[in-house]
């Protein structure tokens, strides 16, 4: 079982949803980076369960404990170990699932691959494990901050309720002003009402998260198998419930001609131009950014933006058909505390995986130039 992500900047995770703790080890963090523990905790708080009426009611403080790799507020260059203790498990809620396979969950595949499984909340396959990614992502963000790179994600669609695809139309600073994490307050209210209605029916709903990366220098990524967009796709598709990834114009671009899609180069009027290639000290920009900041698998200095599709959460609080471990048909009703829509709590997870990927490739790029 592979539990490590990354090349130079790596994250190895451990733990289960209903075990004593979830945690990880981050290796490859350069020495001398200011480690803001309050910032790391604030990122975890954004993913924390029980934060609103449209998320699971499980109450976990999710307090991170850094065990190594930090001295007097700075990274030492040694592995950074951390844990977050589980304190509010209701394992008894899952007892009726001990001998059943839940539809569209990892129960069946996990059991047949390993011959065993933890039926309590999904065990290792639980979305609770993503908190380790958020801690590592916060550390990566602290590293990216020193390089002038920012990562911002937001909920852009819940069910049929969608924002315009162009992120420039919105003030992304409004993302954290509502429970859905949507930068359009009116659409956010619609989305919240839909999630509440779905929750009342014992059902779930999916949607899309958009992520924007600003300040990325030219040259991250490799032209063959380690293309930057391929690395981002790998990161996003490793997140629980993700079913799709597209960057730049993505699938919508197939309806256009090349003459409409090409990002034409032109002289930059100033280095403040947000699409300029200023980090190469060349005054070049483009008229458009259909490429999503990546060309030939390598970042081109423009904003990188992509969209991630999340399916509806598989756990429904209504009766469903399934089979038991022997293949006998049966029915069951799930119990416990579950998210009716994963998107609000998945926004920081998307940011975290984007930050880990970008920082890893940033360090790879620096190494290749030394």
């Amino acid at each position: 079982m592979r539990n490590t992500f990354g090349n130079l900047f790596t994250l190895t995770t451990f733990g289960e949803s209903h075990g004593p703790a979830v945690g990880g080890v981050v290796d490859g963090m350069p020495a001398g980076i200011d480690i803001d523990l309050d910032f790391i905790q604030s990122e975890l708080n954004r993913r924390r369960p029980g934060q609103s009426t449209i998320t699971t009611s499980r109450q976990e403080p999710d307090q991170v404990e850094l065990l190594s790799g930090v001295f007097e507020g700075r990274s030492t260059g040694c592995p950074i170990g951390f844990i977050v203790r589980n304190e509010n498990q209701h394992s008894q809620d899952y007892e009726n699932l001990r001998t059943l396979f839940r539809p569209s969950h990892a129960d069946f595949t996990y059991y047949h691959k390993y011959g065993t499984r933890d039926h309590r909340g999904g065990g290792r396959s639980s979305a609770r494990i993503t908190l380790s990614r958020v801690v590592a992502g916060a550390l990566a963000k602290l590293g990216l901050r020193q390089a002038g790179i920012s990562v911002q994600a937001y909920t852009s669609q819940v069910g049929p309720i969608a924002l315009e695809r162009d992120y420039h139309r919105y003030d992304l600073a409004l993302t954290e002003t509502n429970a859905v994490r949507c930068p359009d307050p009116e659409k956010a209210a619609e989305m919240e009402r839909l999630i509440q209605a779905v929750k009342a029916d014992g059902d779930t709903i999916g949607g899309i998260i958009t992520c924007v990366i600003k300040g990325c220098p030219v040259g991250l990524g490799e032209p063959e198998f380690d293309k930057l967009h391929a690395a981002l796709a790998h990161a996003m598709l490793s997140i629980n419930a993700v079913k799709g990834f597209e960057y730049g114009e993505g699938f919508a671009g197939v309806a256009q001609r090349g003459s409409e899609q090409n990002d034409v180069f032109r002289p930059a009027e100033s280095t403040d131009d947000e699409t300029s290639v200023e980090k190469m000290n060349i005054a070049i920009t483009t008229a458009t950014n259909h490429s999503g900041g990546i060309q030939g698998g390598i970042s081109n200095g423009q904003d990188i933006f992509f969209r991630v599709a999340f399916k509806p959460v598989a756990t429904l609080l209504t009766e469903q058909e399934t089979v038991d471990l022997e293949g006998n048909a049966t029915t069951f009703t799930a119990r416990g505390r579950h998210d009716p829509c994963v998107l609000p709590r998945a926004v920081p997870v998307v940011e975290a995986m984007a930050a880990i990927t970008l920082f890893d490739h940033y360090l790879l790029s620096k190494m290749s130039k030394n």
Side-chain angles (χ1 to χ4, degrees), residues 1 17 30 59 64 68 108 116 143 148 155 171 186-187 189 206 209 245 261 312 316 331 354 368:
M1 183 186 295
S17 176
Q59 293 294 324
V64 64
S68 62
F108 174 78
T116 185
T155 298
D171 179 1
E186 292 185 7
K187 288 285 187 180
I209 289 174
F245 171 88
Q261 277 279 300
L316 311 181
T331 61
S368 68

Side-chain angles (χ1 to χ4, degrees), residues 304-334:
I304 296 172
F305 62 94
F306 57 85
R307 289 153 51 91
V308 185
F310 285 79
K311 71 172 185 175
V313 176
T315 300
L316 311 181
L317 299 181
T318 56
E319 187 175 79
Q320 296 184 79
E321 297 179 354
T322 190
V323 297
D324 62 20
L325 299 182
E326 283 72 45
N328 301 308
T330 185
T331 61
F332 81 105
T333 300

Side-chain angles (χ1 to χ4, degrees), residues 10 33 42 59 78 105 107 170 253 261 302 312 322 326 328 352:
T10 65
I33 302 292
S42 70
Q59 293 294 324
C78 298
H105 273 277
D107 297 351
Y170 303 98
Q261 277 279 300
Q302 301 182 48
T322 190
E326 283 72 45
N328 301 308

Side-chain angles (χ1 to χ4, degrees), residues 205-222:
I205 193 77
I208 293 174
I209 289 174
T210 297
C211 187
V212 182
I213 301 167
K214 292 180 175 290
C216 185
V218 179
L220 303 194
E222 303 293 333

Side-chain angles (χ1 to χ4, degrees), residues 5-66:
F5 180 85
N7 298 286
L8 288 183
F9 183 85
T10 65
L11 166 66
T12 302
T13 69
F14 63 83
E16 294 83 31
S17 176
H18 286 238
V22 174
V25 177
V26 169
D27 206 356
M29 186 71 169
I33 302 292
D34 291 330
I35 303 300
D36 185 344
L37 186 57
D38 289 338
F39 172 72
I40 297 171
Q41 186 60 55
S42 70
E43 291 291 275
L44 264 182
N45 292 345
R46 296 170 66 210
R47 198 220 68 95
R48 184 178 61 82
Q51 60 185 269
S52 75
T53 59
I54 58 172
T55 65
T56 171
S57 60
R58 178 172 176 171
Q59 293 294 324
E60 291 280 3
D62 282 357
Q63 282 292 134
V64 64
E65 302 174 42
L66 299 185

Side-chain angles (χ1 to χ4, degrees), residues 26 40 44 64 66 82 84 130-140 352:
V26 169
I40 297 171
L44 264 182
V64 64
L66 299 185
F82 63 88
V84 175
T130 60
L131 65 81
S132 296
R133 301 174 183 226
V134 173
V135 174
L139 291 167

Side-chain angles (χ1 to χ4, degrees), residues 246-290:
E246 64 174 2
Y247 75 103
E249 290 298 329
F251 289 102
V254 304
Q256 295 182 316
R257 299 188 178 191
S259 56
E260 298 172 288
Q261 277 279 300
N262 281 355
D263 296 319
V264 177
F265 290 109
R266 68 184 184 189
E269 295 182 1
S270 74
T271 56
D272 291 331
D273 191 309
E274 63 184 19
T275 60
S276 68
V277 195
E278 58 189 70
K279 294 192 177 182
M280 284 183 65
N281 296 317
I282 301 174
I284 295 174
T285 188
T286 56
T288 54
N289 186 20
H290 299 298

Side-chain angles (χ1 to χ4, degrees), residues 110-117:
Y110 197 105
Y111 180 77
H112 279 269
K113 182 175 178 65
Y114 297 105
T116 185
R117 70 182 176 94

